[in-house]
Amino acid sequence: MPDANYGVTPYQNSVQSRVGSLRFERGCPTPDTSRMLFDEMDFQRAVQAYLWAYPAVSFESIRVATKRDLGIEYGDMGIADQFVDPKSIWLTANDTTIYAFVNIDLSDGAVVVEIPPGAIVGLVDDFWQRSLADVGLPGRDAGRGGRYLLLPPGDDVVEEPEGHFVLRASMNNHNLLVRGIIVDGDIPDAVRRVQNVKVYARADRSEPRPTRFVSISGALMDTTPPGGIEYWRRLAAVIERNPVQEHDRFFMAMLKPLGLEKGKPFEPDPRQAAILEEAAVLGDAMARNVMYESSERIEGGMAFAGTQWDWVIQVNPNHESEHYCQLDERLQYTYGAIYLSPAIGMRRPGPGANYIQTFRDRDGDYFDGGKSYRLRLPADPPAAAFWSLTLYDTITRSMVQNGMNDAARSGYDEFHTNADGSIDFIFGPERPAATDANWIETVPGRGFYPMVRFYTPTAPLFDGSWTISDVERL
């Protein structure tokens, strides 16, 4: 017979924890303790599920907002033919680029995407914002144009049909993004190039329906993930439309006691709803902390040694590292931005893009929209296509909404330059006495941060021969 006092320490009748006092009788929880523990377990799981789900809810929120406000359906192309209005809230969009996007649903079969030849940079992501492929200049068509065939999960097509690049999907929902690169300042030409993109069902390939284009320029909307129970409704919608993948099964188990289960209506009871709503509040705060303090959790993010500048993209296109899935890395990126691909964030010269951002000035303080700052951009920014500078609001992670309704500058603009070719940009609430073209207005009472983009980056961005100093408070 075992000794009555076996074990290191007999289980105590009362245990103090971070959630309060826990009571046990002969090692078994009292009813009150049991309820407290289940609630806490479900709350902790809900917070982690919130962080895990952010990229999918973000893409679903773009689909929901553009359908609600502009009637954009699957297969329709929303196009910023006159650029994105800073009054609209999009995670780190900018008002210097001809954007266009299409939401794609493979549940009824394969879809064909036709990319025209010319200066287009694009990508296809699934709704978890994992890269399926680059298209256009960085893609397999290499700017010569081509057809991409998106096969739904489980499609048994073995060989590539002649004249198509085959993409095999692991889920039904995807988002295609293309950028029309402006060549020699010809904006209408860039728009026309994007309007030659075609998206149609493969079953209709003999007589494909014309792609419907809807302008998003000037349309005021909020495409960011919502708070409260609506966040979970959008996650439930994504889960219901797509197969559950192997690496997500533990999260699905965490969500089941909270009323979110594939194949069943999402109808949380009052206890579940209260936990989910509270988890969304804490989860959003944690995500914000990971974004703005990423150096505490993620290594290798510094862009230029000894500065406050970081690489924007610190996650791999498939969210995978050698020994783990990049949970913090993908959260750091997708909380503040949208879309991933091998050509976005690459740290080598060539077609594609890379971005840098800074949240602090030279003194290590967060930026204050009520104060004035100077950023000196050295001569010859390392971008073969073009470069841009955009200010983002720290709360919305969208363009600052200022009186001039313009949050960005780019290499297409004319500037007052210094003798060495560098450009001094002024960020502040009041128009400076000189160098007006170099000023971007900030908003008192709001925080902001600058991001610099390099399209088709060149070697100096990566070999240390071109760097940016920290932003200086004036």
Side-chain angles (χ1 to χ4, degrees), residues 104 233 272 317 349 366 382 409:
I104 295 172
R233 288 197 183 97
Q272 294 167 329
Y366 288 126
R409 298 289 182 271

PDB file of all heavy atoms in Angstrom, residues 104 233 272 317 349 366 382 409:
ATOM      1  N   ILE A 104     -10.890  36.413 -53.697  1.00  0.00           N
ATOM      2  CA  ILE A 104     -11.082  35.206 -54.503  1.00  0.00           C
ATOM      3  C   ILE A 104     -11.641  34.087 -53.627  1.00  0.00           C
ATOM      4  O   ILE A 104     -11.176  33.873 -52.506  1.00  0.00           O
ATOM      5  CB  ILE A 104      -9.750  34.765 -55.142  1.00  0.00           C
ATOM      6  CG1 ILE A 104      -9.279  35.828 -56.145  1.00  0.00           C
ATOM      7  CG2 ILE A 104      -9.883  33.397 -55.816  1.00  0.00           C
ATOM      8  CD1 ILE A 104      -7.883  35.584 -56.687  1.00  0.00           C
ATOM      9  N   ARG A 233     -17.102  36.978 -34.773  1.00  0.00           N
ATOM     10  CA  ARG A 233     -18.024  36.605 -35.853  1.00  0.00           C
ATOM     11  C   ARG A 233     -17.269  36.514 -37.177  1.00  0.00           C
ATOM     12  O   ARG A 233     -17.533  35.613 -37.983  1.00  0.00           O
ATOM     13  CB  ARG A 233     -19.157  37.629 -35.964  1.00  0.00           C
ATOM     14  CG  ARG A 233     -20.170  37.588 -34.831  1.00  0.00           C
ATOM     15  CD  ARG A 233     -21.445  38.316 -35.206  1.00  0.00           C
ATOM     16  NE  ARG A 233     -22.387  38.345 -34.089  1.00  0.00           N
ATOM     17  CZ  ARG A 233     -22.541  39.353 -33.245  1.00  0.00           C
ATOM     18  NH1 ARG A 233     -21.808  40.461 -33.418  1.00  0.00           N
ATOM     19  NH2 ARG A 233     -23.410  39.305 -32.267  1.00  0.00           N
ATOM     20  N   GLN A 272     -19.843  32.961 -22.471  1.00  0.00           N
ATOM     21  CA  GLN A 272     -18.867  32.903 -23.551  1.00  0.00           C
ATOM     22  C   GLN A 272     -18.661  34.274 -24.189  1.00  0.00           C
ATOM     23  O   GLN A 272     -17.519  34.685 -24.456  1.00  0.00           O
ATOM     24  CB  GLN A 272     -19.337  31.899 -24.606  1.00  0.00           C
ATOM     25  CG  GLN A 272     -19.366  30.456 -24.117  1.00  0.00           C
ATOM     26  CD  GLN A 272     -20.120  29.538 -25.064  1.00  0.00           C
ATOM     27  OE1 GLN A 272     -21.075  29.964 -25.738  1.00  0.00           O
ATOM     28  NE2 GLN A 272     -19.715  28.278 -25.128  1.00  0.00           N
ATOM     29  N   PRO A 317       7.346  34.731 -45.572  1.00  0.00           N
ATOM     30  CA  PRO A 317       6.086  34.734 -46.319  1.00  0.00           C
ATOM     31  C   PRO A 317       5.120  33.618 -45.940  1.00  0.00           C
ATOM     32  O   PRO A 317       3.915  33.759 -46.076  1.00  0.00           O
ATOM     33  CB  PRO A 317       6.540  34.598 -47.775  1.00  0.00           C
ATOM     34  CG  PRO A 317       7.940  35.111 -47.792  1.00  0.00           C
ATOM     35  CD  PRO A 317       8.520  34.740 -46.465  1.00  0.00           C
ATOM     36  N   PRO A 349      18.776  42.979 -53.551  1.00  0.00           N
ATOM     37  CA  PRO A 349      18.323  43.805 -54.671  1.00  0.00           C
ATOM     38  C   PRO A 349      17.437  43.012 -55.624  1.00  0.00           C
ATOM     39  O   PRO A 349      17.550  41.791 -55.736  1.00  0.00           O
ATOM     40  CB  PRO A 349      19.629  44.213 -55.354  1.00  0.00           C
ATOM     41  CG  PRO A 349      20.722  43.927 -54.370  1.00  0.00           C
ATOM     42  CD  PRO A 349      20.243  42.800 -53.535  1.00  0.00           C
ATOM     43  N   TYR A 366       8.639  58.387 -28.270  1.00  0.00           N
ATOM     44  CA  TYR A 366       7.620  58.213 -29.303  1.00  0.00           C
ATOM     45  C   TYR A 366       7.305  59.565 -29.945  1.00  0.00           C
ATOM     46  O   TYR A 366       7.416  60.612 -29.310  1.00  0.00           O
ATOM     47  CB  TYR A 366       6.339  57.635 -28.709  1.00  0.00           C
ATOM     48  CG  TYR A 366       6.421  56.176 -28.311  1.00  0.00           C
ATOM     49  CD1 TYR A 366       6.084  55.774 -27.022  1.00  0.00           C
ATOM     50  CD2 TYR A 366       6.803  55.195 -29.225  1.00  0.00           C
ATOM     51  CE1 TYR A 366       6.132  54.439 -26.649  1.00  0.00           C
ATOM     52  CE2 TYR A 366       6.858  53.867 -28.870  1.00  0.00           C
ATOM     53  CZ  TYR A 366       6.525  53.491 -27.574  1.00  0.00           C
ATOM     54  OH  TYR A 366       6.583  52.177 -27.213  1.00  0.00           O
ATOM     55  N   PRO A 382      17.927  54.156 -52.450  1.00  0.00           N
ATOM     56  CA  PRO A 382      18.227  52.930 -53.207  1.00  0.00           C
ATOM     57  C   PRO A 382      16.970  52.211 -53.694  1.00  0.00           C
ATOM     58  O   PRO A 382      16.584  51.159 -53.179  1.00  0.00           O
ATOM     59  CB  PRO A 382      19.004  52.080 -52.196  1.00  0.00           C
ATOM     60  CG  PRO A 382      18.494  52.543 -50.865  1.00  0.00           C
ATOM     61  CD  PRO A 382      18.194  54.001 -51.009  1.00  0.00           C
ATOM     62  N   ARG A 409       4.932  61.491 -49.351  1.00  0.00           N
ATOM     63  CA  ARG A 409       5.729  62.069 -50.424  1.00  0.00           C
ATOM     64  C   ARG A 409       6.443  60.912 -51.120  1.00  0.00           C
ATOM     65  O   ARG A 409       6.621  59.846 -50.543  1.00  0.00           O
ATOM     66  CB  ARG A 409       6.761  63.059 -49.880  1.00  0.00           C
ATOM     67  CG  ARG A 409       6.153  64.259 -49.174  1.00  0.00           C
ATOM     68  CD  ARG A 409       5.486  65.209 -50.159  1.00  0.00           C
ATOM     69  NE  ARG A 409       4.942  66.384 -49.500  1.00  0.00           N
ATOM     70  CZ  ARG A 409       3.721  66.456 -48.995  1.00  0.00           C
ATOM     71  NH1 ARG A 409       2.907  65.417 -49.074  1.00  0.00           N
ATOM     72  NH2 ARG A 409       3.298  67.560 -48.409  1.00  0.00           N
TER      73      ARG A 409
END
